[in-house]
Amino acid sequence: MSLHWQSYPELCVRPPAKLMPWLLDANSFMQRLRQHEVNGAEVRVLAQQWQFPNRSEQSLLALPPRQYGLVREVVISSVKAKWMFARTVFPRATLTGKEQMLARLKNRALGTMLFNHVNVTRGPFEFALIKPGDAWHQKITLAAQRNEPQLWARRSVFSINHKTLLLCEVFFPDLMEL
């Protein structure tokens, strides 16, 4: 599952204006939903398993080939809307010490841990447009149980106590209605 990731200035195609504030906000997604009076958002875990991250993820996390990471995929939704598909890659070395709790989030949002921790930094965003025909598109639309013409994604590396993880967030068009 390989996408063409770019920094914002490099993007040839610009995301819709109504989606831009969501794509560029470096704070908690769930908190932003609550600010828009979305109070019933839930995290549904689709999968969480040890697997090889894809090459792009390995490269961004500086992982050697054939090293497992814990990959967690979730959909964030509420009764009437789908908000986001998220994929997190936790290198094995990240899930040691106090950070072991990241492997036991269950249906809690990752941001509840990250944005309440004093020793967390977030790296710069990269963006990608996911189109029909991309392996990511098929996987995400199947998980969300709806077909979308195209989807915008961002990813960034977090550092928590000098241990890294990669978060990829794919935004559903329902966000543009807020």
Side-chain angles (χ1 to χ4, degrees):
M1 292 198 310
S2 182
L3 294 173
H4 182 64
W5 293 97
Q6 299 176 298
S7 67
Y8 183 72
E10 296 173 329
L11 288 175
C12 299
V13 177
R14 294 289 185 203
K18 287 185 174 186
L19 194 57
M20 287 306 299
W22 293 92
L23 285 169
L24 298 175
D25 187 358
N27 297 307
S28 166
F29 177 77
M30 295 295 275
Q31 183 178 2
R32 187 174 174 98
L33 280 177
R34 285 189 294 277
Q35 289 168 350
H36 283 84
E37 299 179 6
V38 175
N39 295 315
E42 296 180 350
V43 175
R44 181 171 53 98
V45 178
L46 303 172
Q48 180 171 313
Q49 59 191 357
W50 290 97
Q51 64 186 55
F52 296 121
N54 65 45
R55 285 187 185 144
S56 178
E57 294 166 339
Q58 287 175 356
S59 175
L60 206 55
L61 289 166
L63 295 175
R66 312 289 299 164
Q67 182 174 342
Y68 281 106
L70 182 64
V71 177
R72 179 179 187 244
E73 295 178 337
V74 304
V75 168
I76 299 172
S77 61
S78 54
V79 174
K80 296 183 180 179
K82 304 277 190 207
W83 305 115
M84 173 187 286
F85 169 89
R87 176 181 167 96
T88 309
V89 179
F90 302 96
R92 187 177 297 278
T94 298
L95 299 173
T96 58
K98 292 179 184 176
E99 289 70 39
Q100 288 178 23
M101 68 182 94
L102 292 169
R104 297 185 295 271
L105 288 170
K106 298 183 181 175
N107 287 347
R108 287 180 296 161
L110 175 64
T112 60
M113 172 65 183
L114 293 179
F115 292 103
N116 293 317
H117 198 288
V118 293
N119 293 323
V120 172
T121 57
R122 187 176 204 167
F125 288 125
E126 290 183 321
F127 303 93
L129 178 60
I130 303 171
K131 299 175 185 175
D134 293 338
W136 273 76
H137 189 273
Q138 182 178 2
K139 177 184 185 92
I140 293 164
T141 55
L142 183 64
Q145 300 173 342
R146 60 195 275 182
N147 195 13
E148 301 292 348
Q150 60 185 21
L151 299 162
W152 280 94
R154 70 178 185 188
R155 70 179 184 178
S156 58
V157 174
F158 282 85
S159 175
I160 180 168
N161 289 326
H162 307 289
K163 300 174 185 178
T164 59
L165 63 96
L166 175 62
L167 175 61
C168 173
E169 301 162 295
V170 181
F171 296 83
F172 290 120
D174 290 346
L175 285 170
M176 293 187 282
E177 303 302 319
L178 295 178

